[in-house]
Amino acid sequence: MTETKNWQAQTRMVHEGQDRSPFGETAEALYLTSGYVYDSAEQAEARFKEEEDGYIYSRFGNPTVRAFEERMMALEGAQDARATATGMAAVTACMMSQLQAGDHIVAARALFGSCRYVVETLMPRFGVACTLVDGRDLDAWKTALRPETKVLFLETPSNPVLEIIDIQAVANIAHNHGARLVVDNVFATPVLQKPMALGADITIYSATKHIDGQGRCLGGIILGDSDYIKNQLANFIRQTGPSLAPFNAWVMLKALETLHLRVERHCDNAEKLTDMLVAHDKIERVYYPGHHSHPQFELAQKQMTRGSNLIAFDVKGGKANAFVLANSLEIAHISNNLGDAKTLITHPATTTHAKLSDAAKAELAIQDGTLRLSVGLEDAADLLDDFERALAKLA
Ligand SMILES: *Cc1c(COP(=O)(O)O)cnc(C)c1O
């Protein structure tokens, strides 16, 4: 492990967590091994008794995966972390590792679809109740609390119309009640928003998104204090196996070296595209947390350094025009993924949020003409041209 020095984040993202083998390789080694051998039976015994540090089996820990965890801990300012196979494995493991029958979750209703399934459908099957609230309404969080509430869960900015929730205020509500706040920080990225510095107890990422950043590997990570990670999460992962593959951890480590550069460029492009969309007469409404027209612009400025690369907007003319626009774009591809180098556009009402009732869609401001855009790393002028040309085709 690299010693913790007073380096800036970008420096640490290039060096943190590396533990060189005797070969002295420059890059991080890829330890593609499921098991480990011991020098003696006594050593094996000591490892299992936890009297000696060292690896036992890659479901419990692996040096490449640990390097990724340590680099993420440095970025987040967390005491400890465990990586998982996907972002959803992280969300599920986080909930399952700390809750039991009789407990209660309060969650913001504007959640990534599968996260909403975990808290609204899966956890209640195991006796953990859940109340969904409008996360922007601080009184709604307080009213939903019960004596048995153990976890508050939110995502900000949220999917798909980028609502902003006040992390610090919800953390205070959680702590006054003796509960923990868990934040899914995917949309903001660890570069633009630090939930733990704002009071969150646990931060979760789908590393599949901006952390990989090039749409290659699935991955996830849970970051928190050493007590939670060591005493609750580590054993849950060890016994149930949602562990990250060493190869994917190695890809993520490589990707963290350029995360800051990529996120800044994503934001530059998103700001330019937002300015163009806001001014366009075929667009009804634009949601971008980094633009002053966002209804919670001030709160976004307070807790995020920039607006990230997700933009939602409503085109005039509903679904028909939304489809014409998506089909007419040449650079932007139609895909529900996000945080990729490639610009991706999706129609939430018929894809990511198709399973929601009309009432639930209305609560989330998802209209027939709503599109969600994940702005990529292409040349900004090319992107603007692509959108100008496609928008000109709308009736
Ligand atoms: C993608 C995503 C997830 C799930 O991550 P996977 O790696 O796809 O499992 C969770 N939360 C948010 C906000 C996401 O965007």
Side-chain angles (χ1 to χ4, degrees), residues 62-304:
N62 169 283
T64 311
V65 175
R66 190 60 190 157
F68 170 58
E69 290 165 351
E70 286 180 357
R71 198 165 286 182
M72 284 298 300
M73 285 153 54
L75 183 53
E76 199 69 29
Q79 290 174 348
D80 207 349
R82 285 294 181 280
T84 53
T86 64
M88 285 323 304
V91 172
T92 309
C94 178
M95 297 299 160
M96 298 286 272
S97 61
Q98 60 180 313
L99 293 166
Q100 59 184 30
D103 289 344
H104 176 240
I105 303 170
V106 183
R109 66 189 180 195
L111 288 180
F112 182 75
S114 297
C115 295
R116 190 154 158 168
Y117 165 81
V118 168
V119 295
E120 194 182 23
T121 307
L122 180 69
M123 296 304 292
R125 293 207 331 234
F126 299 92
V128 178
C130 173
T131 306
L132 294 176
V133 298
D134 177 345
R136 295 165 299 182
D137 179 352
L138 297 176
D139 288 332
W141 287 99
K142 288 184 202 149
T143 310
L145 293 174
R146 299 182 194 167
E148 62 274 20
T149 305
K150 296 281 163 55
V151 165
L152 276 59
F153 180 48
L154 64 87
E155 184 185 313
T156 179
S158 70
N159 195 18
V161 302
L162 311 165
E163 291 175 8
I164 307 293
I165 299 177
D166 189 333
I167 296 174
Q168 202 156 30
V170 179
N172 289 340
I173 293 170
H175 298 155
N176 286 337
H177 195 73
R180 281 184 180 134
L181 174 63
V182 178
V183 175
D184 176 339
N185 201 39
V186 169
F187 277 33
T189 85
V191 173
L192 304 173
Q193 177 171 274
K194 311 256 185 235
M196 298 184 71
L198 293 163
D201 301 280
I202 296 168
T203 307
I204 295 178
Y205 291 99
S206 162
T208 315
K209 311 295 168 54
H210 309 77
I211 292 173
D212 171 292
Q214 292 174 273
R216 302 298 195 276
C217 286
L218 298 173
I221 191 160
I222 304 155
L223 300 117
D225 61 87
S226 10
D227 177 44
Y228 164 67
I229 301 284
K230 288 207 169 55
N231 299 324
Q232 292 183 291
L233 182 67
N235 194 45
F236 180 87
I237 289 181
R238 176 174 176 146
Q239 309 295 356
T240 66
S243 323
L244 183 63
F247 178 78
N248 287 16
W250 179 82
V251 172
M252 301 301 176
L253 270 167
K254 179 171 171 309
L256 283 175
E257 295 180 352
T258 57
L259 181 67
H260 284 72
L261 285 172
R262 288 185 286 105
V263 168
E264 294 300 340
R265 174 62 174 266
H266 276 303
C267 292
D268 292 344
N269 283 354
E271 286 166 7
K272 288 176 189 152
L273 215 46
T274 299
D275 286 341
M276 187 269 247
L277 293 169
V278 165
H280 204 285
D281 63 1
K282 296 209 169 127
I283 305 286
E284 186 91 54
R285 171 151 197 193
V286 180
Y287 301 87
Y288 182 64
H291 192 268
H292 58 81
S293 63
H294 191 285
Q296 297 164 289
F297 178 63
E298 275 174 31
L299 176 56
Q301 293 274 299
K302 195 181 102 186
Q303 60 187 24
M304 298 172 75

Side-chain angles (χ1 to χ4, degrees), residues 24-63:
E25 65 282 347
T26 311
E28 296 74 17
L30 170 50
Y31 292 99
L32 210 47
T33 181
S34 22
Y36 303 84
V37 294
Y38 310 101
D39 294 337
S40 64
E42 287 77 9
Q43 186 181 43
E45 182 183 24
R47 291 262 175 100
F48 273 82
K49 281 186 169 164
E50 292 178 31
E51 290 167 359
E52 180 190 294
D53 281 344
Y55 293 99
I56 295 176
Y57 188 59
S58 283
R59 172 159 29 86
F60 321 164
N62 169 283

Side-chain angles (χ1 to χ4, degrees), residues 1-2 14-15 17-29 31 71:
M1 182 184 146
T2 316
V14 176
H15 294 281
Q18 188 164 10
D19 189 0
R20 288 202 167 82
S21 83
F23 297 116
E25 65 282 347
T26 311
E28 296 74 17
Y31 292 99
R71 198 165 286 182

